[in-house]
Amino acid sequence: MTAVGRRSRGGGRRSRTVRRIALNGAGLLVAIFAAFPVYWMITTSLKPSSEIFASTPRPLPAEPTLAHYRQILTGNLIPGVSYTDFFLNSLLVVVATVLLSGLVALLAATAVARFRFTLRTSFLIMLLVVQMIPLEALVIPLFLMIQRLGLYNTLPSLILTYLGFSLPFAIWMLRGFVAAVPKELEEAAAIDGANRAQIFRRILFPLVAPGLVATSIFSFIVAWNELIFALTFINRQDRYTLPVAMTFFFGRDETAWGPVMAASTLFTLPVIIFFLLVQRRMVSGLVAGAVKG
């Protein structure tokens, strides 16, 4: 090998090393930037009030305390209603939304991907158009519809609303997973005597399960974090969800930052736990849904 060739190979190796270091450094900065608010929230929740309002904030609590957590978990944010009540309301809404959106989206995606019917293309375009509409523009029409259905002040009103917002994305995404399943597998199962229900349950469902997990993340976040519709459709305090309950920490003259940060930490934990439980399937689902095989 000539000297020029060795220098060229050495220069290419150095450039790749520099590029890798730069990318890793940029990724580290982005991770720090994204994780810092979470870190500050958790550390603030462990600080006594004297440290929270100190003129020079500390990165770590000098005297860690769980007083704010005890105040949240043992006290009543609203007379007669505890944090646990709000948590159970949110949990019920989230579980129902995730399960229903997964079931309906899978059936709709199967129909769109496997069958040809009139207005099929229009239906797919409509799914995209629905996601472009701002949520604020739908508050009043949905409120009037909820009242006419007799669902005002009920948790099913939130479940139906969140279901409507999560379904377009879930159907569109699951359509790619269903289309990626070879039809030959279904035809072979039919030849062996399996009916449509068995084909769906034993072949199609296991292969699109990663996609269901990926769409469940979206449905979970929509139902867990939403505030506007929960504040509009629910007027009974014992049926408030956690996002609505969080607003009671903010007063006109002052804000209880210790309890706010403790409640925010407890509010974030279910999302983190759910993500950790499904992250492997979510990553494989996103990759699998991007390629049609």
Side-chain angles (χ1 to χ4, degrees):
M1 181 179 295
T2 63
V4 175
R6 286 195 295 270
R7 285 198 297 270
S8 176
R9 175 172 292 184
R13 192 178 295 115
R14 282 195 297 272
S15 65
R16 287 194 296 271
T17 302
V18 172
R19 191 182 304 114
R20 189 181 300 111
I21 294 174
L23 290 174
N24 291 338
L28 180 61
L29 290 176
V30 171
I32 293 174
F33 181 80
F36 181 77
V38 179
Y39 158 80
W40 196 256
M41 174 184 70
I42 295 174
T43 56
T44 303
S45 69
L46 297 173
K47 294 178 180 178
S49 299
S50 58
E51 292 188 32
I52 294 176
F53 297 101
S55 57
T56 304
R58 296 173 176 268
L60 292 174
E63 299 178 0
T65 178
L66 297 176
H68 302 308
Y69 289 95
R70 286 193 295 269
Q71 179 180 347
I72 295 297
L73 295 175
T74 60
N76 290 333
L77 301 181
I78 302 174
V81 188
S82 66
Y83 183 89
T84 304
D85 297 323
F86 299 127
F87 177 83
L88 292 177
N89 290 338
S90 288
L91 187 63
L92 175 62
V93 171
V94 166
V95 171
T97 301
V98 170
L99 293 179
L100 289 175
S101 66
L103 176 62
V104 176
L106 181 56
L107 295 175
T110 303
V112 171
R114 284 290 189 260
F115 303 103
R116 297 294 181 266
F117 52 88
T118 306
L119 299 179
R120 174 178 174 271
T121 303
S122 300
F123 175 74
L124 293 174
I125 295 175
M126 184 184 66
L127 293 179
L128 294 178
V129 172
V130 168
Q131 294 217 318
M132 298 178 185
I133 302 176
L135 298 182
E136 292 77 8
L138 299 175
V139 173
I140 295 178
L142 287 177
F143 176 77
L144 296 176
M145 184 180 70
I146 291 297
Q147 276 193 323
R148 290 175 182 175
L149 292 174
L151 296 177
Y152 182 64
N153 267 336
T154 64
L155 295 180
S157 66
L158 299 181
I159 295 172
L160 291 176
T161 302
Y162 301 156
L163 186 63
F165 288 126
S166 59
L167 272 179
F169 173 82
I171 294 173
W172 188 268
M173 188 169 183
L174 284 176
R175 172 180 169 270
F177 286 91
V178 176
V181 177
K183 291 184 179 180
E184 290 77 9
L185 294 176
E186 301 177 21
E187 293 171 355
I191 292 174
D192 290 336
N195 56 37
R196 288 188 178 273
Q198 291 173 329
I199 293 173
F200 182 84
R201 185 177 68 254
R202 297 180 180 179
I203 296 178
L204 192 61
F205 180 78
L207 292 176
V208 300
L212 280 173
V213 172
T215 55
S216 295
I217 290 284
F218 176 79
S219 301
F220 184 96
I221 293 175
V222 166
W224 188 257
N225 292 333
E226 203 283 321
L227 171 64
I228 296 177
F229 292 101
L231 195 59
T232 305
F233 296 166
I234 304 293
N235 194 33
R236 285 186 51 175
Q237 295 180 344
D238 60 331
R239 294 180 182 174
Y240 282 156
T241 56
L242 278 177
V244 179
M246 293 288 295
T247 63
F248 287 92
F249 292 105
F250 299 90
R252 178 177 298 180
D253 300 323
E254 61 179 357
T255 299
W257 287 112
V260 164
M261 294 302 177
S264 300
T265 302
L266 295 175
F267 181 77
T268 307
L269 281 179
V271 180
I272 296 176
I273 293 172
F274 183 74
F275 177 78
L276 292 176
L277 291 175
V278 302
Q279 62 173 336
R280 291 185 179 179
R281 283 189 172 271
M282 186 190 70
V283 173
S284 63
L286 292 175
V287 174
V291 181
K292 181 180 177 180

